[in-house]
Structures are given as C-alpha cells and as structure tokens.
C-alpha cells in the first residue's frame, strides 16, 4: 500500500498478511459485524492504492457483507453520491473529514451519511463537524480513527459515544485508544515517556507494524 504523499512523494509500504488480519479482525469486532448474519453494505470512496479504504474493503468481505467501490466522480459530487446511496443504501462508510464536510454542504447532505457506522480518518475531526453529522443522522454511530500506513491502516480508535464531546473545549476529537495487539507511547526527544499533559511524539508498536518501505529497507 502507498502513503498519501501528504509529506512529500507517496512511499510504498510492505504490509504483511498478518498485519492486515489483525486490523481486519479488530474492525469486525469493533463494529459487531457478527450480529448481522446477512452482512452490511460497505462503501469505500478513496483509491484502493492507499490504505484509507481498507477499513471497509476487508472487513466487508470477511464478514459476508457487500462492498461498494464508489467512483471518484460519484464520491466527489454530493448529488451523484446521494443518488447512488438512494438506490444502494450504505451501512458503513470510511471517509476523510474534509471530504465529508464538502459533501454535507449540499442539500442532499443527510442522504450521504451511512445508516449505521461512519468512520473518519486521515485528518483531525472537529466537534463542529460531529454536531452537523448528529443533527442530520442521529442514529449513525461515529468512530474516529487514526493510524499511518506504516502501521496498517489504523492503530487507535474512539467511539464518539464514549467521549463527552459536547462538554469538551478541545478543538479536535481525540483519536482514542490502541486497537487490539497494539501499543502506543508518547515520548520526548530522548525517547522517554512524557508526563500527562505534555506534548510528545507518538510511537506505535505491535502486530500492525509493517515490513518497511518498498526498495528502501534502511529507511
């Protein structure tokens, strides 16, 4: 899989099968997919060359669900997307907050949102966007998700109903706690743990750590 390229040129990352198994198994449990014997309808609105869509791709297939690969033209036009989901209702959607924000500016905003689970990732999620989502679709459960491609799609997640976001003064929604078989550390420049409330660098360990960069093992 390739990184988004937001910090330069996209880098190829060697993801092992076992990395993806650990992640996909966690998502199936986190979304309680076993309680839907007929499977859910998943949609991915990003390129399958990057990792964002893998939150929907593999969990949908291993749980007996249906996967909708939404074209770029449809995914970037609220009217077209709303028309598509009206014909093919979607239960689970993974999307970048700014992409979703653009779609929600349209009159068809409520129709764009999934019926059960909305998973955000790739950027900071703001309380203001959460408020917009909950006003439009109160029954949609929101999960904030974070993780670089180097640690397989997602390493931390937060259910919004587990966080008092309406009372919080934070400018963004927290990224939550580690997924299964994953450890995270906040360290200083000497790679020592920082005290609570002190800014540090996020280090991620565990079963999600991938094999390294393509043709660049030293890095």
């Amino acid at each position: 899989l390739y990184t988004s390229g937001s910090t330069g040129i996209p880098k190829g990352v060697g993801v092992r099968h076992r990395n993806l198994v650990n992640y996909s198994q966690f998502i199936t449990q986190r979304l309680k997919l076993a309680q839907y014997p007929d499977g859910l309808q998943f949609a991915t609105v990003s390129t399958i060359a990057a990792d964002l869509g893998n939150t929907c791709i593999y969990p949908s297939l291993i749980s007996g669900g249906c996967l909708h690969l939404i074209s770029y033209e449809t995914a970037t036009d609220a009217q077209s997307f709303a028309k598509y989901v009206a014909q093919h209702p979607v239960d689970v959607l993974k999307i970048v907050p700014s992409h979703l924000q653009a779609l929600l500016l349209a009159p068809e905003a409520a129709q764009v949102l999934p019926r059960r689970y909305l998973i955000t990732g790739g950027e900071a999620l703001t309380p203001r966007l959460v408020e917009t989502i909950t006003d439009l679709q109160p029954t949609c459960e929101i999960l904030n998700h974070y993780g670089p491609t180097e640690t397989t799609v997602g390493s931390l997640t937060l259910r919004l109903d587990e966080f008092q976001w309406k009372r919080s003064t934070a400018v963004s929604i927290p990224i939550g706690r580690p997924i299964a078989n994953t450890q995270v550390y906040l360290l200083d420049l000497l790679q020592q743990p920082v005290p609570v409330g002190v800014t540090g660098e996020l280090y991620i360990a565990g079963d999600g750590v991938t094999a390294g960069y393509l043709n660049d093992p030293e890095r």
Side-chain angles (χ1 to χ4, degrees):
L1 295 175
Y2 283 82
T3 62
S4 64
S6 58
T7 58
I9 299 173
K11 298 182 287 291
V13 175
V15 182
R16 302 178 179 96
H17 287 181
R18 63 176 178 266
N19 302 140
L20 195 55
V21 166
N22 183 71
Y23 176 76
S24 299
Q25 182 67 18
F26 171 80
I27 293 296
T28 60
Q29 294 174 351
R30 189 69 163 168
L31 301 185
K32 302 176 181 177
L33 298 183
Q35 69 183 19
Y36 304 103
D38 295 330
L40 295 181
Q41 304 289 315
F42 291 71
T44 177
V45 294
S46 62
T47 171
I48 59 175
D51 69 349
L52 187 76
N54 284 278
T55 303
C56 287
I57 293 173
Y58 292 98
S60 67
L61 300 179
I62 64 176
S63 66
C66 179
L67 176 63
H68 298 261
L69 297 175
I70 310 298
S71 70
Y72 175 82
E73 291 75 19
T74 299
T76 54
D77 181 80
Q79 188 174 9
S80 297
F81 194 24
K83 183 178 179 181
Y84 182 91
V85 297
Q87 298 174 334
H88 311 282
V90 169
D91 297 308
V92 186
L93 174 67
K94 169 77 174 290
I95 192 168
V96 174
S98 59
H99 183 180
L100 179 61
Q101 179 69 65
L103 294 175
L104 295 184
L105 294 175
E108 302 84 3
Q111 300 171 47
V112 169
L113 295 168
R115 297 185 295 186
R116 297 186 186 275
Y117 299 109
L118 173 69
I119 307 172
T120 58
E123 295 172 349
L125 176 63
T126 64
R128 186 171 184 178
L129 179 55
V130 171
E131 185 175 12
T132 299
I133 296 166
T134 54
D135 287 344
L136 291 169
Q137 185 68 283
T139 60
C140 179
E141 186 171 339
I142 305 171
L143 289 90
N144 196 26
H145 207 40
Y146 170 81
T149 309
E150 291 86 344
T151 59
T152 313
V153 189
S155 301
L156 300 101
T157 189
L158 173 77
R159 286 184 186 275
L160 262 291
D161 58 11
E162 297 173 348
F163 175 65
Q164 299 294 326
W165 60 272
K166 290 184 178 181
R167 299 178 183 178
S168 174
T169 57
V171 295
S172 62
I173 301 297
I175 56 178
R177 296 187 177 278
I179 71 169
N181 306 307
T182 300
Q183 304 82 44
V184 298
Y185 307 93
L186 280 172
L187 308 180
D188 60 20
L189 294 176
L190 300 176
Q191 296 188 344
Q192 296 299 308
V194 298
V196 174
V198 175
T199 301
E201 194 74 21
L202 185 66
Y203 284 69
I204 303 172
D207 288 356
V209 178
T210 56
Y213 293 117
L214 182 66
N215 299 324
D216 195 358
E218 185 175 333
R219 188 175 193 181

